[in-house]
Structure formats: structure tokens, C-alpha cells
Amino acid sequence: MSEKSLNLLLVEDHLALREVLAESLVDFGYQVRAFESAEDALADEVAGSCHIAILDVNLPGEDGLYLANQLRLKNPRIGIIFLTVRNQVTDRLSGYEAGADLYLPKPISPDELHAAIKALSRRLPIDANIDVFFHLFSSELSNAQNDSVILSDEESRLLIALSQAAKQQLEFWELAECLGLDVENINLRTTLEKRISRLRKKLTQINQSSTSIKSIRGVGYQLTLSIKLQ
């Protein structure tokens, strides 16, 4: 997981510190969304899908522990780093109980924070470049925000075949063989389009683009998103 592919959420109410950390993290190559309160972060539609959240514990309004809990509910795969001056054993235990992966004391240098983010990213249970995850046993298709939908056997076969093909692209006859259809049927392309449309609809239910499966005129179809089979 490279720095350039990581999206970070930074919540720190101290303006100067927030600006310094945000600018430093951007310089390191991260994409950063920064807020001063838990309420502002939770109101942001994108914040919950970030890969790692860096949270101050002492925030105005709801504190960082509450925010960590809410982020975990929205995105169980998110990494959470607490930055705080509260470094007693009981404070650290509360942080880990709230879902923290790392609990780091303030002040912290940007270099040390960068090192901590890199270390955490290596053990995150997601790949930052993956759009969707397909669970082979349950036929569940999900995204990084934990939205999910169940695919039929036919939809599963289509998705797996496209994901494993060269350039994630298959010709009409290859898709027909995958589904056990008659390659010589004059209505084959119409039949395939109906099957592909149903799969596209399932993908849009987990916030993927309607062009996630692209029609290649006169040739076949191509999957345009990245998928991890689990």
C-alpha cells in the first residue's frame, strides 16, 4: 500500500497543529481530509471511507473515543491512530477499547507520525487500490465502507470470470461459455446484456459506477474496477 494511494482523516481542534500535520502529510504524498471536531468529520460523506484516521482524544463536543467508535461502525477496516497528551495507562486502555490501532503521545514529529502510518498501513486488512471485495463462500460483494450485496450464482460466475481475464475483458463467446449459453444463438448478445445489466445493478447498490462493466462494441465486456476475491 503506497503513500500516494492512502486517504487519511485528521481530526485535531488545535488549528496550528492541524495545519502543520496536514501539510506535512500531504508533502509525504498522502491524501488528507482535516477537521476540527468529531461532528464535522462525521458530517463529511468521504471521511468514513478513509483508510486511516488520526484523531485527537480531547475534542470540542464529542471526543475522539466517540468518533473512533462511529468510524469503526461505518468502516470496520479503517485504521485508527490516537494522538493525545493523555498518556496514563487507563487513558491508553480506553483508547484501545475504543478501537485504536496505535496510541501515540503528543507532541509528535511529522516524521514519526509518517513512520507510524506506514507501519499501520502494512497490516491493514484492505488494499487501498481495491474497489470491491468478493467473498467466494458467501457470494457477498462489498466495498470499503462495508456496504454489501449478495450475488446470484450466475452473477458470481460472471464477475469472477471477468476479474480473472486478461485486462479483465472477455468476448461474447467466452461469456456465453462461462454461463453455459449456446454460442450460436442469434439472441446471444441480447441475453448477455440482460445478465450484465443485472450485475451492473448490484454493483451500483454498493456505490460503484454504472460503467463498472463497460460494453466493448462488437467484442464483449470489460470490468473497469479493481476487485479482490476472498
Side-chain angles (χ1 to χ4, degrees):
M1 191 181 293
S2 69
E3 288 88 341
K4 290 184 179 180
S5 61
L6 274 177
N7 297 317
L8 306 181
L9 169 64
L10 172 64
V11 185
E12 166 61 60
D13 65 320
H14 191 286
L15 176 59
L17 179 57
R18 184 171 69 250
E19 290 181 343
V20 167
L21 289 178
E23 290 175 5
S24 298
L25 292 171
V26 169
D27 289 341
F28 282 123
Y30 300 109
Q31 303 294 317
V32 181
R33 299 182 74 80
F35 301 93
E36 68 174 348
S37 70
E39 289 80 3
D40 288 345
L42 291 172
D44 184 77
E45 294 183 357
V46 180
S49 62
C50 289
H51 301 111
I52 294 178
I54 303 157
L55 312 177
D56 183 15
V57 173
N58 295 320
L59 293 170
E62 299 291 355
D63 64 13
L65 303 180
Y66 171 85
L67 177 55
N69 275 312
Q70 294 302 305
L71 292 172
R72 277 269 185 249
L73 290 173
K74 288 186 174 184
N75 179 9
R77 299 183 178 95
I78 195 170
I80 294 176
I81 298 174
F82 277 132
L83 298 181
T84 179
V85 295
R86 292 164 54 177
N87 57 8
Q88 298 298 313
V89 172
T90 53
D91 296 322
R92 295 197 296 272
L93 290 176
S94 295
Y96 288 121
E97 288 175 2
D101 295 288
L102 294 172
Y103 194 99
L104 304 176
K106 289 181 179 179
I108 188 170
S109 72
D111 287 335
E112 183 180 358
L113 180 57
H114 174 46
I117 292 168
K118 287 189 0 182
L120 177 56
S121 70
R122 286 194 290 268
R123 61 178 194 265
L124 285 178
I126 62 169
D127 186 320
N129 296 316
I130 299 298
D131 295 309
V132 296
F133 302 83
F134 184 63
H135 305 268
L136 297 168
F137 181 76
S138 63
S139 298
E140 181 184 51
L141 186 66
S142 62
N143 59 17
Q145 294 75 49
N146 213 37
D147 302 314
S148 65
V149 65
I150 301 297
L151 301 189
S152 68
D153 178 65
E154 187 175 76
E155 292 161 350
S156 298
R157 279 185 281 146
L158 270 177
L159 185 65
I160 292 169
L162 284 166
S163 70
Q164 295 180 333
K167 298 182 180 180
Q168 298 193 139
Q169 177 179 323
L170 289 174
E171 296 184 23
F172 295 120
W173 68 268
E174 293 174 305
L175 290 165
E177 288 191 348
C178 169
L179 298 176
L181 300 175
D182 181 3
V183 177
E184 302 300 327
N185 190 313
I186 59 173
N187 296 316
L188 176 62
R189 296 189 183 184
T190 300
T191 300
L192 285 174
E193 176 57 33
K194 290 180 180 178
R195 305 293 202 279
I196 292 292
S197 293
R198 285 200 286 266
L199 180 54
R200 281 199 195 106
K201 185 176 180 180
K202 291 285 183 70
L203 287 164
T204 61
Q205 289 177 29
I206 56 168
N207 301 316
Q208 303 305 307
S209 169
S210 59
T211 59
S212 293
I213 302 177
K214 181 173 65 175
S215 174
I216 302 175
R217 187 173 182 180
V219 177
Y221 292 92
Q222 182 179 32
L223 185 67
T224 62
L225 51 71
S226 56
I227 179 171
K228 183 174 182 178
L229 304 180
Q230 299 179 320

